[in-house]
Amino acid sequence: MLTGIVAVAIGLGVMVLVHEWGHFVVARAFGVRVEVFSIGFGTRLFGIRRGPTDYRLSALPLGGYVRMAGDNPAEERRGDPDEFLSKPRWQRVLIALAGPTTNFLMAVVLTAALFVRGGEQPSYADKAVVVAGVVKDSPAQKAGIQTGDRIVSFAGVKDPTWDRVALELALSAPGRSEPVTIERGDRLITTSVASEPQPFAVLGYPPEPVIVGSVAAGLPAQHAGLKEGDNIVSADGQHLMAPSQFSEVVQASGGKPMTLEVVRGGQTEMLELRPIWGDPGDGTPRWQIGITFRFVTSPRQYSVPQAVLKATQFHIVLANKLIYLVGELFTGKVSLKQVQGPLGIVQESSRAAKRGFGDVVSLMALVSLNLGILNLLPIPILDGGHIMMLGIEGLLRHDLSLKIKERVVTVGMVFLLLVFLIVMYNDVLRLFPSH
């Protein structure tokens, strides 16, 4: 938990600071006098003054803020040409847009850096979705998907890869019906499948050798002589196409002895073992032999132009999905219970920090994108609310009264506070096993 809190403080703080830096740069470009650029909130610790701006470090290091001259209509103004409210509305709109835009650009930069850095990924990830088998009682089986099917369209995406399917499912509401077009022989079959986060449950699993990743001490696999790196090619005479298929064969054994054909160092061996019943540690008792699987991986690395293009495309897709999900939240089609709050973010940050630097950077990119999109919502006190108010004033050709603006801002603050409290309540409930 402490790791997660530190990761959130650093990651979210940096993303908020980047957001405010966007406002700062565009405001200065339009000649707006910026009085304070603060790293952190609260009491000023120290800083330097350059021109009209006080660049300061404040006591609470969670992001930062920019204070522009004349940006508060409730305060007394002199009407100087370098005040925010003295600028044309279109310039004020661009200043408001600058923060979310910078967050989007930051997300692209972080993701592109990971693509340039490169790394190992499952070899099936960027291949066409060809089904080696389906999980019993899964959404795929219920939708009629069969071994050998090729998915030519999923959720409106033509010729998707396994990677793209995973992205679509990660941003789809659980239980939502997603359209699927299947190529089976010389026929095209259109159906739909219920969404859930695991692609292998939704569309079946890809062809993949069954390679042992690790062997647990004292369980049947170790007693039988299975070793890390072994390739299990068949079980009880049944040729294996994927690790998920082998898992199903183990469950179907009912605890009876099994004969495994294993390839090790180019040599074939026959091993016998008997699965035992127990909980492997996830709270679900089942037949087990005590191994994990290792996917075949291949290196993926991109040039800078390729990485920027791929990262931009990725975040455009992600942004579209997030905007769609926000819309469904407002229409009630998606419950607020599915939204992660501060505690959820801390838990995810802790997991990312344990998995390594790459996962932390990926999470920061996702937070940056979310921060940008949420700030564009037409809710007063957010950037989107300011843009909406400027649009209304532009249509009316005059400024709204201070009294109206204060009431609108109050409603916006109450709304956001209620949402925050609901999300926090659901976060706390998730800490208990029954929820």
Side-chain angles (χ1 to χ4, degrees):
M1 183 62 74
L2 181 59
T3 302
I5 291 172
V6 172
V8 167
I10 295 173
L12 186 58
V14 170
M15 294 306 105
V16 172
L17 192 60
V18 165
H19 180 96
E20 296 300 325
W21 181 79
H23 291 311
F24 172 79
V25 169
V26 177
R28 289 294 300 272
F30 286 132
V32 175
R33 186 172 79 254
V34 178
E35 296 178 340
V36 176
F37 184 95
S38 176
I39 299 176
F41 296 91
T43 305
R44 182 185 191 274
L45 299 179
F46 61 86
I48 58 173
R49 179 172 290 278
R50 293 286 176 83
T53 307
D54 177 22
Y55 298 89
R56 66 172 64 165
L57 180 68
S58 299
L60 188 60
L62 292 175
Y65 67 92
V66 169
R67 187 168 72 225
M68 292 173 276
D71 64 352
N72 188 348
E75 296 178 354
E76 186 177 344
R77 294 176 51 230
R78 293 186 300 179
D80 293 340
D82 60 357
E83 290 183 347
F84 177 74
L85 292 175
S86 298
K87 298 298 179 180
R89 290 192 184 92
W90 68 270
Q91 290 187 4
R92 283 182 272 163
V93 167
L94 290 181
I95 292 171
L97 279 173
T101 301
T102 309
N103 279 129
F104 179 82
L105 293 175
M106 186 65 175
V108 170
V109 168
L110 290 174
T111 305
L114 290 178
F115 289 150
V116 171
R117 175 175 175 248
E120 298 288 325
Q121 72 172 26
S123 298
Y124 69 81
D126 59 359
K127 294 180 180 177
V129 182
V130 177
V131 181
V134 295
V135 179
K136 184 180 179 181
D137 297 326
S138 65
Q141 188 182 64
K142 293 173 183 176
I145 297 173
Q146 301 177 9
T147 300
D149 286 350
R150 178 174 177 269
I151 308 302
V152 296
S153 175
F154 177 76
V157 179
K158 293 184 179 179
D159 298 319
T161 61
W162 288 100
D163 248 357
R164 182 59 187 271
V165 166
L167 173 62
E168 294 293 327
L169 290 174
L171 299 169
S172 179
R176 175 183 170 81
S177 182
E178 297 287 2
V180 181
T181 302
I182 302 165
E183 183 180 78
R184 183 178 299 161
D186 57 357
R187 292 188 300 150
L188 289 179
I189 302 169
T190 300
T191 183
S192 61
V193 63
S195 173
E196 66 170 71
Q198 296 297 331
F200 294 175
V202 176
L203 294 179
Y205 43 81
E208 180 78 12
V210 183
I211 298 177
V212 178
S214 64
V215 180
L219 292 180
Q222 186 189 52
H223 296 320
L226 269 176
K227 296 181 179 180
E228 181 180 340
D230 284 351
N231 183 4
I232 307 173
V233 295
S234 72
D236 287 338
Q238 182 176 343
H239 180 67
L240 298 176
M241 294 288 291
S244 297
Q245 179 190 4
F246 179 57
S247 297
E248 291 192 328
V249 171
V250 171
Q251 297 311 306
S253 72
K256 296 178 182 178
M258 299 178 63
T259 301
L260 306 183
E261 182 183 353
V262 176
V263 174
R264 179 187 301 159
Q267 302 295 317
T268 300
E269 297 186 27
M270 304 301 292
L271 304 177
E272 290 192 0
L273 53 75
R274 181 193 292 269
I276 62 171
W277 183 262
D279 180 1
D282 60 4
T284 306
R286 54 185 177 272
W287 295 109
Q288 57 179 314
I289 63 172
I291 66 170
T292 63
F293 302 116
R294 185 180 75 204
F295 284 106
V296 175
T297 62
S298 56
R300 290 289 185 274
Q301 195 170 18
Y302 300 87
S303 67
V304 172
Q306 289 174 327
V308 171
L309 177 60
K310 185 176 175 65
T312 302
Q313 292 171 337
F314 172 79
H315 283 292
I316 288 174
V317 171
L318 201 57
N320 286 334
K321 283 288 184 179
L322 288 172
I323 292 169
Y324 175 77
L325 286 176
V326 169
E328 293 213 319
L329 275 172
F330 278 96
T331 58
K333 294 179 180 178
V334 174
S335 171
L336 270 176
K337 292 181 179 180
Q338 295 171 225
V339 178
Q340 293 275 24
L343 291 179
I345 295 173
V346 167
Q347 290 175 323
E348 287 301 321
S349 299
S350 178
R351 296 187 190 107
K354 290 176 182 177
R355 288 194 297 265
F357 177 75
D359 280 57
V360 172
V361 174
S362 294
L363 185 61
M364 286 177 66
L366 182 61
V367 168
S368 187
L369 183 67
N370 274 268
L371 186 63
I373 289 174
L374 293 178
N375 261 281
L376 286 175
L377 293 178
I379 299 172
I381 82 170
L382 298 180
D383 293 327
H386 293 313
I387 294 169
M388 178 186 70
M389 295 289 285
L390 288 167
I392 292 172
E393 289 178 343
L395 292 173
L396 297 175
R397 297 180 180 275
H398 65 80
D399 289 350
L400 296 172
S401 69
L402 179 59
K403 190 173 183 180
I404 291 176
K405 289 182 178 180
E406 287 177 341
R407 287 181 178 176
V408 170
V409 168
T410 300
V411 170
M413 290 182 66
V414 170
F415 174 77
L416 288 179
L417 180 60
L418 285 174
V419 171
F420 176 78
L421 291 174
I422 293 170
V423 170
M424 275 293 295
Y425 173 75
N426 290 329
D427 262 6
V428 172
L429 286 183
R430 289 192 194 98
L431 296 177
F432 298 95
S434 61
H435 293 270

